Amino acid sequence: MNWLILLFLIGASDFRYETEHFVIESHSDLKKLSISIIETAEEQYSRIKRMMPVELSKKINIKVANSMDEYEAMQPEGMKAPTWSVGIAYPKRRLIVLRGDPNHGPDEILKTFRHELAHIFLYNYSEVRIPVWFSEGFSMYFESEGGILRSFSLIRQAFANEYIDIDKLEDGFPDNPVDIHNAYLTSSEFFSFLLSRINEEGLYKVFEYIKEGNDIRFAIFRVSGKTLSEMELEFKKSARFRYAWLPVITSSTTLWILLTLFFVYVFIIKQRRTDLKLAAMRKEEEQLLLEMLNSENSDEVKKQNTRYLN
């Protein structure tokens, strides 16, 4: 951890931790969590630098509250965070406020932090407007895996063809809770698909075009050689192929077929091993019998020689 610049306590209860690019403040009883957060911040900064030609001119401030009351009090003047939120970012202020109370585990807090930190990088990178689908897709990319529930959502979405058109996610997300969920999944999956096609080096070039003042559609076309509509069409075909067949192989009928094949396979392997073992035993018995015959013949020769000499 050679990147540490300063570590010091303020008073008996306040904690401040500073690195090359970040400053975190919390109560001393959240010291362990705060250190994990700022280590994650430096790791993510290094990852993002491979995808985006970013250099921070000012440090990003992180505040961690140990209660809901403190969380609300830490918001900038005139701002109010949703009561259900685990964290919130204020990109232009270079500020992230997190809830570190016991109601949220470290994994959930770090996941939220990575998401919000990505937003700060994006909105401090260029004056060019970033589409909502790209912003959310980029931010969700840095979250941890969504787990089995997210996997089922992806399967259902692909199977029912419920992906929302990217054009509809340019300026915002829908209001309906189900549509919002689909919008986040669409943004996340489409960004991952885009990244799989152009790689980190290509994404770096996309950001360079954006930095020059170009629209993201133009930037993607220059890097990939395809329009955003063409990329979206490929994405939907790819997603349907990847996920839509999963219900088939996870059905009860398929499960019984797979189990049957497994037991047949085990039986064949076991039978083969038994045959090999019997063959080895037969070979060993033949070898012993041959040795016994050779030994008896040798004794008979000795007896005949003794009679001849006598």
Side-chain angles (χ1 to χ4, degrees), residues 37-178:
I37 291 170
I38 207 162
E39 286 177 345
T40 299
E42 287 292 349
E43 290 171 2
Q44 185 165 331
Y45 178 76
S46 298
R47 287 185 65 195
I48 287 181
K49 283 197 68 175
R50 298 198 301 268
M51 305 179 182
M52 175 194 294
V54 62
E55 289 293 342
L56 297 179
S57 58
K58 296 180 181 179
K59 295 184 179 183
I60 294 174
N61 293 303
I62 308 163
K63 295 183 178 181
V64 187
N66 66 354
S67 67
M68 185 60 195
D69 289 339
E70 188 175 61
Y71 180 64
E72 293 178 342
M74 284 182 172
Q75 307 302 319
E77 186 176 354
M79 301 292 180
K80 187 175 181 180
T83 55
W84 49 262
S85 63
V86 181
I88 188 168
Y90 297 94
K92 295 304 179 183
R93 298 172 183 260
R94 296 173 180 263
L95 171 66
I96 298 177
V97 182
L98 299 168
R99 286 178 62 183
D101 57 84
N103 294 323
H104 304 284
D107 291 341
E108 184 181 6
I109 295 170
L110 290 173
K111 177 180 177 179
T112 301
F113 171 71
R114 287 192 294 270
H115 185 104
E116 300 302 333
L117 181 57
H119 279 310
I120 287 190
F121 280 113
L122 275 180
Y123 286 99
N124 283 280
Y125 177 72
S126 171
E127 296 300 323
V128 174
R129 187 184 67 83
I130 302 294
V132 174
W133 68 262
F134 187 91
S135 173
E136 292 302 332
F138 181 79
S139 299
M140 291 179 73
Y141 178 78
F142 290 95
E143 291 186 14
S144 59
E145 293 296 324
I148 190 168
L149 291 178
R150 182 172 186 270
S151 298
F152 282 131
S153 296
L154 293 172
I155 294 170
R156 176 191 55 75
Q157 194 178 45
F159 192 67
N161 195 24
E162 292 181 347
Y163 288 110
I164 299 175
D165 291 342
I166 294 300
D167 286 341
K168 296 179 180 179
L169 303 177
E170 285 276 338
D171 301 317
F173 279 180
D175 297 327
N176 183 284
V178 174

Side-chain angles (χ1 to χ4, degrees), residues 60-293:
I60 294 174
N61 293 303
I62 308 163
K63 295 183 178 181
V64 187
N66 66 354
S67 67
M68 185 60 195
D69 289 339
E70 188 175 61
Y71 180 64
E72 293 178 342
M74 284 182 172
Q75 307 302 319
E77 186 176 354
M79 301 292 180
K80 187 175 181 180
T83 55
W84 49 262
S85 63
V86 181
I88 188 168
Y90 297 94
K92 295 304 179 183
R93 298 172 183 260
R94 296 173 180 263
L95 171 66
I96 298 177
V97 182
L98 299 168
R99 286 178 62 183
D101 57 84
N103 294 323
H104 304 284
D107 291 341
E108 184 181 6
I109 295 170
L110 290 173
K111 177 180 177 179
T112 301
F113 171 71
R114 287 192 294 270
H115 185 104
E116 300 302 333
L117 181 57
H119 279 310
I120 287 190
F121 280 113
L122 275 180
Y123 286 99
N124 283 280
Y125 177 72
S126 171
E127 296 300 323
V128 174
R129 187 184 67 83
I130 302 294
V132 174
W133 68 262
F134 187 91
S135 173
E136 292 302 332
F138 181 79
S139 299
M140 291 179 73
Y141 178 78
F142 290 95
E143 291 186 14
S144 59
E145 293 296 324
I148 190 168
L149 291 178
R150 182 172 186 270
S151 298
F152 282 131
S153 296
L154 293 172
I155 294 170
R156 176 191 55 75
Q157 194 178 45
F159 192 67
N161 195 24
E162 292 181 347
Y163 288 110
I164 299 175
D165 291 342
I166 294 300
D167 286 341
K168 296 179 180 179
L169 303 177
E170 285 276 338
D171 301 317
F173 279 180
D175 297 327
N176 183 284
V178 174
D179 290 337
I180 290 175
H181 182 67
N182 287 339
Y184 272 105
L185 285 174
T186 299
S187 301
S188 174
E189 285 292 286
F190 183 62
F191 178 83
S192 296
F193 173 82
L194 176 65
L195 187 60
S196 72
R197 291 298 186 268
I198 64 177
N199 301 318
E200 291 185 354
E201 295 81 4
L203 185 61
Y204 193 94
K205 292 178 182 178
V206 166
F207 278 119
E208 286 184 324
Y209 282 119
I210 292 174
K211 191 72 172 180
E212 294 171 1
N214 295 293
D215 179 80
I216 194 169
R217 290 174 177 267
F218 172 83
I220 290 174
F221 177 76
R222 288 296 303 270
V223 172
S224 68
K226 296 181 180 179
T227 65
L228 193 64
S229 297
E230 290 172 334
M231 293 289 286
E232 183 179 7
L233 184 61
E234 286 187 14
F235 155 69
K236 289 182 178 180
K237 288 181 179 179
S238 172
R240 190 165 182 82
F241 176 79
R242 277 187 297 151
Y243 296 119
W245 50 268
L246 288 178
V248 177
I249 68 169
T250 54
S251 68
S252 58
T253 302
T254 305
L255 179 61
W256 280 113
I257 293 173
L258 291 175
L259 286 173
T260 302
L261 291 174
F262 173 74
F263 284 119
V264 170
Y265 171 77
V266 171
F267 174 79
I268 293 173
I269 293 297
K270 186 175 180 180
Q271 187 64 44
R272 185 180 178 186
R273 289 177 178 173
T274 301
D275 292 342
L276 291 173
K277 187 174 181 180
L278 289 173
M281 290 173 65
R282 282 195 297 268
K283 186 175 181 180
E284 185 177 355
E285 288 176 356
E286 290 173 358
Q287 183 66 31
L288 289 173
L289 182 59
L290 183 60
E291 290 178 358
M292 288 175 62
L293 290 173

